[in-house]
Amino acid sequence: MSSNWFKVLMKMTKVQYGKNLLLKGMPIVFNKKGATIEIGENVTINSSFLSNLVGLYSRTIIVTRTHGAEIKIGDHVGISGATIYARKKICIGDNTLIGGNAKIIDNDFHPIDSNLRLEQIYADHPGELTDIIPTKEVIIGKNCFIGCNSIILKGTVLGDNCVVGAGAVVSGRFEDNCIIAGNPAKVIKKL
């Protein structure tokens, strides 16, 4: 399937994108009815093994999972084999680069309480039990670099010009101009 045909499919699911969207390989993009995915201008999405030699494990996945969820990706953003999964809201600023296999998620996927997890498992329509899954928006500033295999968890706010080290597990608020690394991630240097 050509990237032009894939762009037509994106339009059909009401994914909005700007000029010069470059798709290397075929990402998985799912926009839930009543949700919003906006991709800015001059965005590159790498989704094939040869599109980024860091060693991509999968295609890029961009998903809104609930009615009203939002994903907003700014201009001049590069994404390589990453997962961006929103139940509430994820915003990625202009000129940000997202390294191979990174995960950006605004929710826990399942309740922490075991009784609620069982309720979700045995529900007739488990996808509708959205209010029992902890969710908090993720905001990534402009000019950030998210290293390969890092995980950005719910509620994270990264200021402008932040660098996230490879393999970091990031949760919390971080000021502009920080290098963040580790598990749990912390500021290791100010730029």
Side-chain angles (χ1 to χ4, degrees):
M1 181 183 306
S2 76
S3 65
N4 287 334
W5 177 244
F6 191 75
K7 289 177 183 178
V8 170
L9 291 175
M10 289 171 63
K11 286 283 189 190
M12 290 173 57
T13 61
K14 299 192 184 324
V15 174
Q16 301 169 29
Y17 59 87
K19 295 181 206 169
N20 303 319
L21 173 63
L22 178 59
L23 303 176
K24 295 181 180 180
M26 296 296 135
I28 297 168
V29 180
F30 176 78
N31 190 28
K32 178 87 170 179
K33 185 176 180 181
T36 304
I37 298 176
E38 295 177 10
I39 301 171
E41 296 185 357
N42 303 302
V43 171
T44 299
I45 300 176
N46 295 317
S47 292
S48 70
F49 176 72
L50 294 176
S51 65
N52 184 323
L53 297 178
V54 74
L56 302 184
Y57 303 139
S58 72
R59 298 185 280 172
T60 294
I61 300 169
I62 302 173
V63 174
T64 53
R65 188 67 174 102
T66 57
H67 182 87
E70 297 177 58
I71 295 175
K72 294 186 179 186
I73 299 170
D75 298 335
H76 306 281
V77 171
I79 304 169
S80 291
T83 298
I84 302 169
Y85 185 105
R87 284 183 171 273
K88 188 171 187 174
K89 183 176 185 177
I90 297 174
C91 291
I92 299 167
D94 296 343
N95 305 309
T96 289
L97 300 175
I98 302 171
N101 313 308
K103 309 289 183 229
I104 302 171
I105 51 179
D106 71 353
N107 67 90
D108 288 342
F109 284 88
H110 299 284
I112 293 173
D113 180 279
S114 62
N115 291 324
L116 292 176
R117 273 197 311 276
L118 290 173
E119 181 181 330
Q120 181 186 32
I121 290 168
Y122 294 111
D124 290 334
H125 303 286
E128 295 174 2
L129 297 175
T130 59
D131 57 332
I132 64 173
I133 298 172
T135 304
K136 193 169 182 187
E137 66 185 36
V138 172
I139 307 296
I140 297 173
K142 296 177 182 177
N143 310 313
C144 291
F145 177 74
I146 311 298
C148 69
N149 299 310
S150 59
I151 303 172
I152 310 296
L153 296 171
K154 75 178 191 303
T156 297
V157 176
L158 295 181
D160 295 341
N161 310 308
C162 285
V163 175
V164 174
V169 179
V170 182
S171 180
R173 300 180 71 85
F174 297 88
E175 297 176 6
D176 295 351
N177 306 306
C178 291
I179 297 177
I180 304 154
N183 179 7
K186 62 182 179 180
V187 176
I188 61 168
K189 185 176 181 181
K190 296 277 194 161
L191 298 173

